Amino acid sequence: MASTVTPSKKSPEESRHPASSRPGYGQLLRTRGAWTFLLPGFAARQPFAMLTISIVLLVQHTTGSYGVAGAAAAVTGVSMALFAPYSGRLADRFGQRAVLLPGVLVHSLSGLTLTVLALTDAPLWALFAAAVPTGASVPQIGPMVRARWGVKLGGSPLMSTAAAFESVTDELTFVLGPLVATALCTAVDPAAGLVTEAALTLVGGLLFAAQKSTQPRVAGLGDGHARVEHVPALRVPGVRVLAVIFLGIGSVFGGMQVSLAAFTESIGEPGMNGVLYGVFAAGNMLSGLVCGAVAWKATPQRRLLVGYTALAVTASGLWAAQSLPVLAGLGLLVGMSIAPALVTGYTLVEDLVPAGARTEAFTWLTGAVALGQAAAVTIAGQFEDRLWDGAGFLVPMGGTVLALATLVALRTRLATPSRSRTVARGVGHRVPAAVD
């Protein structure tokens, strides 16, 4: 007698993310409600990539000094890196909308104030004073988008694909933003870049904040959900290790920006600076796309170790390049090595950090990249001035090698809670965690 098998009813989570489906960009972008925050999120994060170059071009025009311009931009970057985690913590505790609405207003007003001070030949201390709130109030759109993916996807295998997608989006932003800002500052007015950045931040940020249905729920505020005890993200040992690793990635971005400009200037081909940086960025985007399309069998911890080793090795060869083709090839390899480290680092946050602290954790990592970049710009500039042409490439080498040594020494701190319980109790069962 033939038996009849009744199909088991799938849970809503299984229906959205079927286990048999291979994680991919098509499946990711078909996630219900994703486009409602992706499109405004892309518009809102674009100004962030315009900020540094807009400040440099405006302040250099009004003061005639690249040193002063770089210092003002560095103050903005350091301020952003120091204050971003607190913005993320507030977003986790009170909701993204509650942080974004006042944040975009403060940032827009601060950016316009900095513009006016630069145009009126204000003293250096006044420029620095305005640069602090301008950087401190930069809306953390990227981390907020990543946190929304976490809510949508939960423990789905698509989380790695989402991390790769966001890495590619970030890189595309940092390709388009400087191009738009440079065009505005050179073809329209030196102040046009910063003014446009402030306006886009306001409009894009308000549009993103309006998407209330996709933001992580703030638990414990009378919504019927169990209260999630807030644990500062930096108390998680793995987040501290990842922050050091992302500092090293920031040293690559900052060191490459300064050193490529100095190298092309030294050989009489300044116009090739944009081409070389474009090759570097293209490698990053290409590798990020591949990372999101592959169904990985290796653990994230192993992928991070392998990927970061490749980054340190390729970055260590930059200083020895003596020709444009060699430098372009090495830049492509460095770019291709960055994405795996970024994607895997962001993916690990999902396993290491409680749901109620993930936005803060993402901002710590984003801030670490910004802080590493600001430090690298300053140090690489000094190396180029005081040593030899191309000496600034020593900064990416030093930053990645030190970060790799930290990763190797402290890699056990990146073990996910489920693995820790397996070792301690002998049971491969992950204790359910509260979610937003």
Side-chain angles (χ1 to χ4, degrees), residues 336-362:
M336 293 177 66
S337 302
I338 285 179
L342 280 174
V343 170
T344 309
Y346 282 123
T347 301
L348 278 169
V349 169
E350 178 72 16
D351 293 327
L352 293 171
V353 182
R358 285 178 190 151
T359 305
E360 180 189 350
F362 287 134

Side-chain angles (χ1 to χ4, degrees), residues 13 17 23-25 27-28 31 145-167 291-292 296 303 342-344 346-351 358 362:
E13 188 64 29
H17 314 299
Y25 293 110
Q27 184 184 350
L28 177 72
T31 301
V145 171
R146 287 183 166 90
R148 294 188 186 217
W149 275 124
V151 172
K152 282 290 182 183
L153 300 177
S156 165
L158 282 171
M159 275 306 301
S160 179
T161 306
F165 181 82
E166 290 304 310
S167 177
C291 284
W296 297 101
R303 299 203 310 268
L342 280 174
V343 170
T344 309
Y346 282 123
T347 301
L348 278 169
V349 169
E350 178 72 16
D351 293 327
R358 285 178 190 151
F362 287 134

Side-chain angles (χ1 to χ4, degrees), residues 51-52 72-82 131 135 367 370-371 374:
L51 182 60
T52 298
V75 169
T76 304
V78 172
S79 179
M80 192 279 284
L82 294 178
L371 186 60

Side-chain angles (χ1 to χ4, degrees), residues 306-357:
V306 173
Y308 215 90
T309 299
L311 176 59
V313 170
T314 54
S316 296
L318 289 169
W319 68 273
Q322 299 295 322
S323 67
L324 286 175
V326 172
L327 189 55
L330 283 172
L332 178 66
L333 293 176
V334 172
M336 293 177 66
S337 302
I338 285 179
L342 280 174
V343 170
T344 309
Y346 282 123
T347 301
L348 278 169
V349 169
E350 178 72 16
D351 293 327
L352 293 171
V353 182

Side-chain angles (χ1 to χ4, degrees), residues 251-280:
S251 74
V252 176
F253 286 120
M256 290 286 282
Q257 287 176 351
V258 172
S259 303
L260 288 176
F263 180 83
T264 53
E265 183 73 26
S266 69
I267 64 173
E269 296 284 352
M272 292 299 296
N273 178 32
V275 175
L276 291 176
Y277 199 83
V279 170
F280 165 70

